[in-house]
């Protein structure tokens, strides 16, 4: 019995979306039952073709798809917690529709701009154990606790934090504040979370503000975590952004933090051997976005000629 459903949140990137899904199915298809596609109710002016072609192709090929497009677009804003009891608003949160609807123990979250290189779901299932999530833990490149010099200067010892140590690296709130002060002084690229310490980190600094399971490829135990998450429990949804001062904590940070504070552990799973993740959001880097789309188009032509031929048969000007 197939034991995993898959969820993608899609904002444009039609070629990368198609490549993400087709490479995932090529290597991990035997584990997958339903594929949930949540299309944002807004598109990209830089895309010449719509992102829906891959959904039609997969449906015609016999795959189980559940497609959802919310009426509300939250973009990258923090959620209004007072509105989460309204299903229309709550289901506009990224991935929330699939998180509430799946009947599987596990849900595999994936970005629509990755290239899968081997059976990532099978490997994560083997690694899961009793973890509430499996994936690359932490955005350590943004976190001063990963820097040995800053960690030492803040009085946190000679061993900096790391994905493998996140559960035990627990600075006092004062040490966390000092760590970020030093990062600011020494031009470390840390985000200004100190402006919003009071609510989230003034009494307990752990997990740190960059701790999360990165959603561009991760496996979540829905059976364990859904009862604790809104609307069933009090923890913010996986896809919810949350304000911390003048900026927002990233996707799944609040969810990850509050589950961790209840004693649940995530398992770090290095992704380099299993996927390539493009970086090139059209909102900030139009050139990188277009280059990534062109590369994905060429890879699709080479590796998935049946999809290209299907697009041609439907009159979709994606390849010809």
């Amino acid at each position: 019995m197939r034991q995993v459903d898959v969820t993608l949140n899609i904002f444009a990137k039609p070629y990368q979306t198609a490549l993400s899904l087709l490479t995932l199915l090529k290597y991990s298809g035997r584990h997958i039952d339903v594929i949930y596609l949540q299309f944002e109710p807004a598109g990209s002016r830089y895309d010449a073709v719509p992102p829906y072609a891959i959904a039609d192709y997969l449906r015609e090929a016999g795959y189980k798809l559940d497609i959802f497009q919310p009426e509300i677009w939250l973009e990258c804003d923090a959620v209004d917690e007072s509105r989460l009891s309204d299903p229309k608003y709550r289901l506009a949160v990224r991935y929330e529709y699939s998180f509430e609807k799946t009947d599987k123990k596990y849900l595999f979250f994936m970005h629509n701009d990755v290239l899968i290189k081997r059976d990532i779901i099978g490997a994560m299932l083997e690694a899961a154990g009793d973890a509430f999530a499996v994936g690359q833990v932490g955005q350590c490149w943004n976190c001063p606790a990963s820097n040995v010099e800053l960690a030492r200067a803040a009085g946190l010892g000679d061993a900096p934090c790391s994905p493998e140590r996140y559960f035990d690296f627990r600075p006092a709130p004062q040490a966390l504040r000092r760590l970020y002060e030093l990062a600011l002084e020494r031009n470390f690229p840390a985000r200004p979370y100190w402006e919003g310490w009071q609510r989230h980190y003034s009494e307990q600094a752990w997990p740190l503000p960059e701790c999360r399971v990165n959603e561009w490829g991760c496996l979540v135990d829905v059976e364990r975590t859904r009862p604790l998450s809104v609307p069933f429990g009090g923890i913010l949804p996986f896809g919810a952004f949350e304000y911390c001062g003048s900026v927002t904590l990233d996707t799944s940070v609040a969810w990850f933090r509050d589950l961790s504070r209840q004693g649940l552990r995530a398992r770090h799973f290095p992704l380099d051997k299993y996927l390539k993740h493009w970086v090139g959001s059209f909102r900030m880097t139009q050139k990188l976005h277009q280059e990534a789309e062109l590369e994905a188009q060429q890879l699709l032509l080479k590796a998935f000629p049946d999809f290209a031929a299907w697009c041609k048969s439907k009159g979709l000007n994606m390849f010809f």
Side-chain angles (χ1 to χ4, degrees):
M1 178 180 176
R2 298 185 179 191
Q3 55 187 322
V4 178
D5 287 344
V6 170
T7 181
L8 278 80
N9 188 83
I10 298 169
F11 185 87
K13 301 182 180 180
Y15 295 105
Q16 292 171 82
T17 300
L19 189 63
S20 300
L21 285 164
L22 290 172
T23 54
L24 178 70
L25 288 167
K26 176 180 178 180
Y27 292 108
S28 292
R30 63 192 178 93
H31 307 289
I32 297 167
D33 189 23
V34 179
I35 302 169
Y36 290 90
L37 304 179
Q38 182 165 327
F39 287 91
E40 294 282 13
S44 166
R45 57 182 170 152
Y46 303 119
D47 288 325
V49 295
Y52 303 101
I54 186 61
D56 294 334
Y57 172 76
L58 292 177
R59 191 151 37 191
E60 284 193 21
Y63 291 99
K64 295 181 185 178
L65 265 63
D66 192 325
I67 299 172
F68 174 68
Q69 188 156 8
E71 298 177 28
I72 300 168
W73 188 35
L74 299 179
E75 200 173 358
C76 294
D77 295 329
V79 296
D80 181 348
E81 295 182 39
S82 70
R83 298 181 63 187
L84 288 174
S85 59
D86 176 4
K88 182 182 291 188
Y89 180 84
R90 187 179 67 253
L91 293 178
V93 174
R94 295 176 183 182
Y95 312 108
E96 184 61 16
Y97 175 82
S98 56
F99 191 80
E100 292 187 24
K101 190 170 182 183
T102 181
D103 62 355
K104 304 300 184 300
K105 176 177 175 60
Y106 291 108
L107 188 61
F108 180 73
F109 291 72
M110 185 174 74
H111 267 198
N112 67 321
D113 55 2
V114 300
L115 171 71
I116 303 298
K117 299 187 286 187
R118 58 185 66 186
D119 183 11
I120 187 170
I121 293 180
M124 285 186 169
L125 286 170
E126 288 184 8
D130 62 353
F132 76 87
V134 180
Q136 183 172 324
V137 172
Q139 297 188 105
C140 303
W141 51 92
N142 291 325
C143 183
S146 69
N147 183 284
V148 63
E149 302 281 338
L150 292 174
R152 184 183 295 130
L156 296 172
D158 293 328
C161 190
S162 67
E164 296 82 5
R165 297 189 66 218
Y166 90 91
F167 198 83
D168 300 312
F169 191 90
R170 304 193 183 196
Q174 298 83 356
L176 182 65
R177 181 177 291 277
R178 179 59 180 154
L179 182 68
Y180 271 80
E181 288 172 351
L182 289 167
L184 183 62
E185 290 173 9
R186 302 185 186 186
N187 296 316
F188 184 89
R191 295 188 266 203
Y193 295 131
W194 57 84
E195 298 174 1
W197 283 149
Q198 193 60 34
R199 180 179 178 189
H200 305 299
Y201 301 103
S202 61
E203 295 183 5
Q204 184 173 353
W206 175 88
L208 305 185
E210 297 291 358
C211 282
R212 67 170 190 162
V213 59
N214 292 296
E215 86 280 7
W216 53 78
C218 68
L219 190 73
V220 169
D221 187 336
V222 178
E223 195 173 84
R224 294 185 71 193
T225 61
R226 185 163 55 191
L228 302 172
S229 308
V230 170
F232 311 102
I235 293 173
L236 286 180
F238 177 96
F241 290 85
E242 181 182 50
Y243 280 123
C244 189
S246 61
V247 294
T248 56
L249 296 165
D250 215 332
T251 304
S252 86
V253 167
W255 179 86
F256 184 95
R257 179 193 66 222
D258 291 343
L259 287 170
S260 297
R261 287 180 180 178
Q262 294 200 26
L264 279 67
R265 288 179 181 249
R267 179 152 291 115
H268 176 58
F269 184 95
L271 294 177
D272 290 350
K273 293 181 180 179
Y274 291 88
L275 64 78
K276 171 185 175 180
H277 182 218
W278 276 283
V279 178
S281 167
F282 80 93
R283 295 188 311 147
M284 295 177 289
T285 52
Q286 178 182 350
K287 183 174 182 291
L288 287 176
H289 169 78
Q290 292 174 326
E291 289 175 351
E293 278 289 89
L294 179 60
E295 184 179 357
Q297 182 192 51
Q298 297 306 308
L299 287 169
L300 285 166
L301 270 171
K302 182 178 180 180
F304 300 99
D306 289 350
F307 175 59
W310 179 88
C311 289
K312 183 178 181 180
S313 74
K314 298 296 182 181
L316 298 174
N317 187 27
M318 290 186 70
F319 298 95
F320 307 96

